[in-house]
Amino acid sequence: MEPGIIRKLDEVVVNRIAAGEIIQRPANALKEMMENSLDAKATSIQITVKAGGLRSLQIQDNGTGIRREDLAIVCERFTTSKLQSFDDLSSISTYGFRGEALASISHVAHLTIVTKTKSEKCGFKACYEDGKLKGDIKPIAGNQGTQITVDDLFYNVPMRKQALKTPNEEFQRISDVVSKYAVHNPQACFTLKKFGETPSIRTLPKSTIVQNISTIYGAAIGKALVPIATKDDILQLSVDGYVTNVNFSLKKGISLLFINHRAVECSGLKKAIDAIYSLYLPKGSAPFVYLSLELNPQNVDVNVHPTKHEVHFLHEEEIIEKVKLLVGKALLGGNASRSYTQALLPGANQPLDTTKTNESMVGGDDKPRLDYKLVRTSHSEQKLEKFFNISGSASGVPLKEEEPKDEKTLEPKLTQPSPSRKRKAVRKETRLSSIHTLRQQVESEGDENLRKIFRELTYVGTIDREQVLIQYDTKMYLAKTQPLVAELFYQLLLFNFGNFEQLTFSEPLELKRLVHLGLADPNSGYTEEDGPADELADIIVEKLVSKAPMLREYYNISIREDGYLESLPKLLENYIPSVVFLPMYIIRLATEVEWDEEMECFRTFSRETGYFFSRIALTKPDKEYRWELEHVIYPALRNQLIPPKEFSKNGCLLQLASLPELYRVFERC
């Protein structure tokens, strides 16, 4: 039998084989691109995923960008700005260095890069296929930084695509990667979302590691964290991290390990830490561990695995032993405050209050909770309404809205699209720098303490048409609904910009008639000295009709050329604003919105629209109003509001009582 002929493989085949080693699944591609963003000093990284990253995976940052002259070769193999000679490998301190990430992605997907550097007047767009530039590099408007879009991953490697998990499982892997890097890089804000949906991960800029752990993995873990830190000059080792105390456990452990700021796995270190926790935790449970090790770069080999998820380093056994002793010492200090639960025998009486009787077992406090620190969170317990003889909708569904009795109120109703007619639209991402700036202002002005209160609030009950009671931990707060809701809708208008569904009027409304109704309102401030009402109405209608194309494109507000209003944007599921306040809203759109300057236009329009949508108190039947607050408004505040710092000063949220302080009062009595 003749021996086979040895041939040199085609370059395309070679590159696809190499790409398959580096880009094993969407999460690997995203990790490489995120590390490039962090190397580019980005402080904002936004990731959008479609079909688990297989159909589309997009990452946008505000880093240094890529130079126009480098775009021609940026997707070729072994092109990098991090490495010049082989000796540089011994001191590498950046994430990327081999120049294979973008090249590998371009061999198994359609790759598009939009980038702009600080010194360039405009951005540039380039498309790539099989490592080569496809078409010309085109100038394009854009913000500083880089946006990379990966479409149809593994379109030319069908066997790899078939071997992957479901889109939801792939998205979970992506979420895991983003979570790790968001925790380790609190100086940057990370946002992860599926196309057309709200973000599943969003961290604030200039946050802390503990805050990001609480935001991503849950407040219970955040409360149970114990810091660990040490330095060893002999081993040239520095260790920082957080582990959960002995009173806290998970069914499935969470381990975040970074060596020289690179997310890696080290089975030896993981086994050593698990062995320590096995002395304290019940069988079948595990801890949360975040460790960041910094070693001399010359002692670490980061080039032993194509995906760089494994590294080798000198003195491995000594370093593992050092970390093991450090974790053991931290746990030993908390062992004295361990708490235990006693199982009741069948037929024995339950304690009077079983709500969080031993939160330290599930929540991670260092000490057992005393009576005056117990927190009421059970939805089955009595609510405030009982004591005022008020009952909501028994079925949990809002009651039908009653017709306003005022003759001046508008008869047409706003209607939402029926579920059967809804189509899941592809979410559009805006490139307007003004909107990005306004979003960044909202995030930078957010107060982390207030955000924690809203994220973990328990709705207690309605006081009146303007105030409700909410509970956070052992504290009771009085919340003013209208300013909170106005801020919520303002933020929804910014973060969902260009992606609103329509609320359609059953009959189009004549803008001129609305303006006359608004001017007749004593609160409008209109007097005869301002001029004839009819002339003012014509000016306002003309102004709004001239802005109709922009309002339709960005906000789905439909205004006909003959001056009739057909629709408003849908800002929140199961929420319809009151048309009673529509006349004044129309007037304020024309007079209070700064139409001539882009960013001020979007800001003032969003403020006015948010205020209009927030005015819910006077027009709803009492039962429906209370249902809407509890089941629509406050869940949205809990999940989506980024409360600004001013809310802690302007009386929107007032602390009424604290359980420990009340106990002190009763003790004195």
Side-chain angles (χ1 to χ4, degrees), residues 185-472:
N185 297 276
Q187 79 281 359
C189 60
F190 286 76
T191 303
L192 170 66
K193 60 185 175 181
K194 295 180 181 179
F195 268 99
E197 298 186 16
T198 56
S200 58
I201 294 176
R202 179 190 287 168
T203 61
L204 291 176
K206 298 179 182 178
S207 185
T208 66
I209 289 173
V210 173
Q211 288 171 346
N212 283 359
I213 290 174
S214 297
T215 299
I216 296 170
Y217 293 101
I221 292 178
K223 292 177 182 178
L225 293 177
V226 178
I228 59 173
T230 191
K231 286 188 177 181
D232 190 313
D233 294 334
I234 297 175
L235 294 174
Q236 296 180 292
L237 167 70
S238 174
V239 180
D240 288 287
Y242 293 90
V243 297
T244 47
N245 59 39
V246 293
N247 289 324
F248 181 91
S249 64
L250 299 164
K251 290 183 179 179
K252 185 177 181 181
I254 300 174
S255 179
L256 282 64
L257 174 61
F258 287 81
I259 295 181
N260 287 359
H261 306 290
R262 189 185 308 280
V264 296
E265 296 175 5
C266 180
S267 58
L269 184 57
K270 186 177 185 305
K271 288 178 182 178
I273 293 175
D274 288 343
I276 298 172
Y277 272 98
S278 66
L279 302 174
Y280 300 101
L281 300 183
K283 189 176 181 180
S285 58
F288 173 93
V289 175
Y290 161 74
L291 287 176
S292 174
L293 277 61
E294 288 194 48
L295 302 166
N296 186 334
Q298 295 183 352
N299 295 345
V300 183
D301 186 356
V302 295
N303 198 32
V304 297
H305 195 279
T307 63
K308 294 176 287 188
H309 79 278
E310 291 180 9
V311 296
H312 289 172
F313 49 91
L314 293 178
H315 315 299
E316 186 168 332
E317 291 183 4
E318 292 90 337
I319 289 173
I320 289 175
E321 187 64 24
K322 187 82 175 178
V323 175
K324 180 180 177 181
L325 292 173
L326 183 65
V327 174
K329 185 177 179 181
L331 297 184
L332 189 62
N335 191 40
S337 62
R338 291 197 72 178
S339 55
Y340 304 89
T341 55
Q342 180 180 3
L344 293 173
L345 294 174
N349 292 327
Q350 289 278 4
L352 291 177
D353 185 359
T354 59
T355 307
K356 286 201 175 180
T357 55
N358 193 2
E359 178 169 320
S360 59
M361 284 298 292
V362 295
D365 282 350
D366 285 344
K367 297 180 180 179
R369 287 218 161 189
L370 302 174
D371 288 344
Y372 62 87
K373 290 187 177 180
L374 296 179
V375 180
R376 167 197 178 275
T377 58
S378 174
H379 64 84
S380 62
E381 294 192 19
Q382 294 177 351
K383 293 187 177 178
L384 189 70
E385 280 80 357
K386 181 188 177 195
F387 301 98
F388 293 93
N389 196 26
I390 298 169
S391 61
S393 170
S395 63
V397 179
L399 304 176
K400 184 177 179 181
E401 184 174 350
E402 297 174 1
E403 291 286 342
K405 295 181 180 179
D406 188 349
E407 292 181 359
K408 287 188 177 182
T409 56
L410 303 167
E411 293 180 1
K413 297 289 187 73
L414 282 164
T415 56
Q416 304 187 59
S418 64
S420 61
R421 288 185 292 152
K422 282 186 182 179
R423 290 184 179 177
K424 197 161 186 179
V426 176
R427 185 175 177 84
K428 297 181 291 185
E429 292 299 324
T430 181
R431 292 180 181 171
L432 295 175
S433 59
S434 54
I435 292 296
H436 286 287
T437 301
L438 290 170
R439 290 174 178 175
Q440 290 170 2
Q441 286 178 2
V442 168
E443 292 177 338
S444 63
E445 292 170 4
D447 185 285
E448 184 60 29
N449 291 329
L450 288 176
R451 193 176 186 187
K452 185 176 178 64
I453 290 173
F454 279 97
R455 190 167 56 238
E456 300 177 25
L457 71 84
T458 300
Y459 187 87
V460 178
T462 309
I463 297 293
D464 54 30
R465 288 277 172 162
E466 296 180 353
Q467 303 172 107
V468 303
L469 283 180
I470 62 173
Q471 178 182 321
Y472 164 70

